[in-house]
Amino acid sequence: MKALLIARRELSAYLRTLSGYVIIAVILALNGLFFNAYALGGASKRSAEVLSQFFYYSSGFTIVASVFISMRLLAEERQTGTLPLLYSSPLRDRDIVLGKFLAGLAFLALYVACTVYMPLLVLVNGKVSFGHVAGGYFGLLLLGSASLAVGTFGSALARNQLLAAITSAVMLVALILCWLLARITEQPLADVFSAMSLWNQHFPPFQAGLIHVRDVVYYLVVTYVALFAATRVLEARRWR
């Protein structure tokens, strides 16, 4: 319950500031440009192929949006000196982390919802499977949740928002590039790195509208582990 109160306050702060809307507008515009240039452009394509490419590009922009949304969650409190106020409140560290994460996730979901017009454009000129759309958007939310959780961890580590964004981006890129390590290592390490890959191993099925339990579990585990790590960072800093 306390986490929900924090989430409500944090989300209100996002909605009252111009920066949140700027982030959504810029990334949404870039997503639309890529969709128009690469998904819709070129030779004639089937609707399912266009939709798959839409989710391909949207997944990258969702990760980018999660970095910019999460960078302020905890780093801003430390940067402005208001973190001791949170520590002096009766809130538990896990409530603080979870509340801020939920606020960021709600704002990220708002961005994802704003991309719906692109599949609708495909629907105007072709046939779209609503199962494909639902599966793809479910994947975007799971990917966004995991990326945002990693960003929350990065925000907990950093002294300011810029360092939070850089730290989060480095960690996410490292997770994405695990598939490269899988190619150059031998078994069983190859399987381990492949399973750790944030995008290459787990998101492509969602592009096709397919939902596999292993992929859902992976994104939920990454989300949990990252939030757990962020909570431990706050706890360690509280007792310094």
Side-chain angles (χ1 to χ4, degrees):
M1 187 64 181
K2 292 180 180 178
L4 292 178
L5 292 175
I6 296 174
R8 181 179 178 183
R9 188 198 71 175
E10 192 72 21
L11 182 59
S12 298
Y14 267 116
L15 296 175
R16 288 196 304 267
T17 58
L18 182 62
S19 60
Y21 294 104
V22 170
I23 290 172
I24 285 183
V26 171
I27 298 179
L28 191 62
L30 290 173
N31 198 351
L33 287 174
F34 271 72
F35 174 72
N36 184 64
Y38 297 106
L40 290 181
S44 179
K45 304 173 185 176
R46 293 180 303 164
S47 297
E49 184 180 354
V50 174
L51 201 56
S52 179
Q53 290 188 346
F54 159 72
F55 287 121
Y56 172 80
Y57 292 112
S58 293
S59 64
F61 286 109
T62 299
I63 294 174
V64 172
S66 70
V67 171
F68 286 105
I69 291 172
S70 64
M71 68 181 185
R72 60 162 290 180
L73 291 179
L74 293 166
E76 185 184 43
E77 302 282 358
R78 193 176 179 188
Q79 184 177 353
T80 57
T82 56
L83 193 59
L85 296 177
L86 285 178
Y87 285 152
S88 62
S89 69
L91 298 171
R92 292 174 295 183
D93 293 315
R94 67 182 183 184
D95 292 328
I96 296 172
V97 171
L98 182 59
K100 286 181 172 292
F101 167 76
L102 290 176
L105 185 61
F107 199 72
L108 183 64
L110 177 62
Y111 158 74
V112 172
C114 289
T115 66
V116 170
Y117 79 92
M118 286 179 259
L120 290 179
L121 289 177
V122 181
L123 179 62
V124 170
N125 298 303
K127 295 181 179 180
V128 172
S129 167
F130 288 100
H132 190 169
V133 174
Y137 271 104
F138 183 54
L140 286 181
L141 290 176
L142 286 174
L143 176 64
S145 174
S147 302
L148 191 72
V150 172
T152 304
F153 177 45
S155 187
L157 291 171
R159 292 180 176 273
N160 56 63
Q161 296 183 53
L162 178 60
L163 286 177
I166 294 172
T167 303
S168 302
V170 169
M171 289 190 289
L172 287 169
V173 169
L175 283 174
I176 292 171
L177 294 181
C178 278
W179 70 273
L180 284 176
L181 292 176
R183 287 190 172 187
I184 62 177
T185 54
E186 298 180 355
Q187 302 293 345
L189 284 179
D191 290 337
V192 173
F193 285 126
S194 180
M196 288 174 59
S197 177
L198 184 69
W199 190 93
N200 189 267
Q201 181 69 18
H202 299 284
F203 190 79
F206 290 109
Q207 278 184 241
L210 303 175
I211 300 175
H212 295 157
V213 174
R214 66 174 184 273
D215 300 322
V216 175
V217 170
Y218 167 80
Y219 286 123
L220 292 179
V221 168
V222 171
T223 300
Y224 174 81
V225 170
L227 293 180
F228 179 82
T231 302
R232 289 295 174 264
V233 170
L234 286 192
E235 290 176 349
R237 192 166 287 139
R238 180 190 289 268
W239 298 111
R240 284 183 179 178

